[in-house]
Amino acid sequence: MDFIEYALWLPLLTVAVFDIRDNRIPNNWVILSLITMVAALALKYNGLTNIPASNLIAFFLMLALGFVLFSMRVMAGGDVKLMAVLALGTGLEHLATFLMATVLCGAVYGLFYLFSYISRSHLTVKDQALKYVREQIVLRRHLATRISNKLRLPFAPAIITGFALYPMWV
């Protein structure tokens, strides 16, 4: 592993910390991640013009898919941009594996966040479930903008962990 590949982890870990702390991913760290990823790929393939088209296709495909998810309010914009940057590194041939690893890590993180949220709440698990059904399923169309105390999962750590783990399944 070259220095530039190690250097990629600094902005990625910083992005994870920002997302956990502020529930927000600053654009400057995503841009730094993109620059570092492009530099790593340029070194790996001996020049910018030698970067395989499959890597660029994976980048734009992830941006398009992410835009759809963002429009549906499933993912935040920072998470979409981060996934596109990391898709650039995986290429089209490993994109599905990266996405599956990310979903798996997100499910594990989600369970831990849910358990942590429930353990800090004064409501019982049954009351939490009823509140969720009432607010998120029944009343969502009418109150989506008014419900402010939603459980928000910082997804950048799951994305980054999925990126770190996907090579194990390739």
Side-chain angles (χ1 to χ4, degrees):
M1 190 181 278
D2 294 321
F3 168 76
I4 198 76
E5 291 173 342
Y6 285 117
L8 176 63
W9 291 102
L10 174 66
L12 291 179
L13 293 175
T14 304
V15 161
V17 169
F18 269 104
D19 198 25
I20 291 169
R21 190 185 70 190
D22 302 336
N23 239 5
R24 187 179 166 281
I25 300 175
N27 283 333
N28 56 343
W29 287 102
V30 176
I31 292 168
L32 182 59
S33 298
L34 176 63
I35 292 168
T36 310
M37 180 65 75
V38 169
L41 290 171
L43 284 174
K44 181 178 180 179
Y45 294 109
N46 298 318
L48 281 174
T49 57
N50 295 330
I51 296 173
S54 72
N55 289 65
L56 297 173
I57 292 170
F59 174 78
F60 288 112
L61 182 65
M62 194 64 242
L63 271 180
L65 176 63
F67 179 74
V68 171
L69 293 173
F70 175 75
S71 298
M72 295 170 49
R73 300 179 70 178
V74 174
M75 286 186 75
D79 294 330
V80 168
K81 291 179 274 189
L82 178 64
M83 286 189 78
V85 168
L86 297 179
L88 177 65
T90 65
L92 200 53
E93 57 274 1
H94 301 301
L95 182 60
T97 308
F98 163 59
L99 293 176
M100 286 187 288
T102 299
V103 167
L104 181 65
C105 292
V108 170
Y109 285 167
L111 285 174
F112 279 109
Y113 266 79
L114 178 63
F115 294 149
S116 172
Y117 179 78
I118 289 172
S119 69
R120 286 183 275 130
S121 175
H122 64 281
L123 299 174
T124 66
V125 174
K126 178 183 174 187
D127 291 339
Q128 286 284 348
L130 291 173
K131 179 182 173 191
Y132 178 83
V133 168
R134 186 179 69 247
E135 289 181 353
Q136 298 297 322
I137 297 173
V138 176
L139 301 176
R140 186 170 189 148
R141 275 187 229 126
H142 307 292
L143 298 176
T145 56
R146 287 189 253 164
I147 299 170
S148 61
N149 60 348
K150 291 189 239 179
L151 175 62
R152 295 186 182 179
L153 175 68
F155 202 59
I159 297 167
I160 294 166
T161 306
F163 181 72
L165 295 179
Y166 93 87
M168 293 175 26
W169 292 299
V170 180

